[in-house]
Amino acid sequence: MTNLGVPRIFLGMTLDCQRDFIKLSAKDTIERIIGNLQIGLPEKIIATPFPLTYKLFDEKFKLLDSEKQTECRSIIGMLLYISNIVRFDISYHISIVAGFVNGPREVHYRSAMNIVQYLGQTKEKGIILEKNGKVKYFREEFQFLDTSKEVVVRQYPDQTKNRLTVYSDADWGKSGQGRSQLGGIVTFCGNVISWNSRKQKSVALSTAESELMSVKEGITTGKYFYDLLNEISIPIQYINLCCDNRAALTLSSHNANSGKSRHII
């Protein structure tokens, strides 16, 4: 067995291993993609992966030719990989664009290139894993469901930063003509360890239903890590569920279904 020293690149991730933390980024992969595409980065700072004002569902945009379609699919595939390994900040945007991979149009190609340029300007950003991390949030109404003793809805306390926590959210009806998007992240000791963003499997009739579906997906992932951590002798007593919708949290606390919620799956 050969000691290769401190790792620097692993599965497309760029590792910065320090004494107090480990930083994961996709810097080298992003630079290689930009070099292969031979695109320049704009001087103006790009604040988001692409503007949500883009009308991705509008069929007035011209279909790409076969060569451009192949290139667009390749770019989307690379962006999906980057979003799955490190850059969860583009997960929402690329999951929407990926829904048009069968027949990409000019607006979808432009959106994908926008994401590439955004990554080029933010290639140094990534995930920092440290002993006592802390997830920062900027919503005072963000609340959580604590089932350690009794099911209650209350404000999110700082004490949960060192526990297994699930954050869930949904954008009911904001994705255009398609189904609503759901997503969330899972943190442990304040470090992001898992995330996802995708279309909901069924149609939601209200914001509460949409958020509840997102809560279910988040808890499914959280339960996996709950079992995994306990199996490797890291005791976890319960999972913190964080959601920004009181109706969804209230429905989550009921063991029985009512006439207005029994159809939700």
Side-chain angles (χ1 to χ4, degrees):
M1 184 178 293
T2 303
N3 184 0
L4 300 178
V6 179
R8 182 180 177 273
I9 298 178
F10 179 72
L11 295 178
M13 295 182 291
T14 303
L15 282 67
D16 181 12
C17 301
Q18 301 295 331
R19 182 174 182 180
D20 299 327
F21 65 88
I22 298 176
K23 181 180 179 181
L24 308 177
S25 67
K27 178 181 176 181
D28 292 86
T29 303
I30 293 171
E31 290 178 346
R32 185 168 64 253
I33 292 173
I34 292 176
N36 293 338
L37 295 176
Q38 297 182 349
I39 61 173
L41 300 179
E43 296 182 359
K44 183 179 178 180
I45 297 177
I46 302 176
T48 60
F50 67 78
L52 295 181
T53 54
Y54 279 9
K55 299 179 180 180
L56 301 181
F57 291 88
D58 198 335
E59 296 184 355
K60 72 177 182 180
F61 294 99
K62 183 180 178 182
L63 280 169
L64 300 174
D65 56 47
S66 59
E67 184 177 348
K68 276 288 186 180
Q69 284 190 7
T70 302
E71 180 183 354
C72 185
R73 293 186 185 108
S74 176
I75 295 173
I76 290 174
M78 291 185 288
L79 294 176
L80 281 171
Y81 181 75
I82 292 176
S83 70
N84 287 332
I85 60 172
V86 177
R87 296 297 298 269
F88 59 86
D89 55 329
I90 67 169
S91 295
Y92 173 81
H93 299 81
I94 190 58
S95 64
I96 295 177
V97 177
F100 303 93
V101 72
N102 287 332
R105 298 176 181 270
E106 292 178 348
V107 65
H108 307 132
Y109 182 81
R110 188 164 67 247
S111 300
M113 295 301 290
N114 244 78
I115 298 175
V116 173
Q117 292 177 334
Y118 169 79
L119 289 175
Q121 290 188 349
T122 60
K123 60 185 179 181
E124 299 289 344
K125 293 185 179 295
I127 298 175
I128 295 179
L129 304 176
E130 50 189 348
K131 183 177 181 180
N132 294 310
K134 184 175 181 181
V135 175
K136 297 180 180 179
Y137 63 97
F138 302 96
R139 301 191 64 168
E140 295 180 357
E141 69 273 18
F142 210 73
Q143 298 167 330
F144 85 116
L145 192 66
D146 183 356
T147 59
S148 58
K149 296 181 180 179
E150 59 181 1
V151 178
V152 293
V153 178
R154 59 188 182 189
Q155 293 298 321
Y156 174 74
D158 290 337
Q159 290 85 343
T160 59
K161 68 180 182 180
N162 293 327
R163 301 174 186 167
L164 188 63
T165 306
V166 174
Y167 299 81
S168 70
D169 198 9
D171 71 336
W172 181 64
K174 293 182 181 178
S175 298
Q177 299 175 5
R179 293 189 298 272
S180 301
Q181 291 278 132
L182 61 80
I185 62 174
V186 180
T187 65
F188 178 63
C189 292
N191 300 298
V192 178
I193 59 175
S194 180
W195 59 89
N196 79 314
S197 178
R198 62 172 181 79
K199 285 184 179 180
Q200 291 183 347
K201 294 182 179 179
S202 58
V203 177
L205 301 179
S206 66
T207 303
E209 290 185 27
S210 180
E211 295 280 356
L212 190 60
M213 293 177 189
S214 181
V215 165
K216 187 262 293 183
E217 293 290 335
I219 285 298
T220 301
T221 305
K223 183 62 167 60
Y224 166 80
F225 285 103
Y226 172 87
D227 294 335
L228 175 64
L229 291 170
N230 281 286
E231 186 176 342
I232 60 177
S233 301
I234 301 178
I236 302 294
Q237 297 180 354
Y238 60 92
I239 304 171
N240 291 314
L241 169 62
C242 298
C243 177
D244 61 352
N245 187 279
R246 179 177 288 273
L249 290 176
T250 303
L251 287 171
S252 300
S253 66
H254 295 322
N255 293 327
N257 290 328
S258 66
K260 295 183 179 180
S261 62
R262 63 187 178 186
H263 64 283
I264 303 175
I265 57 175

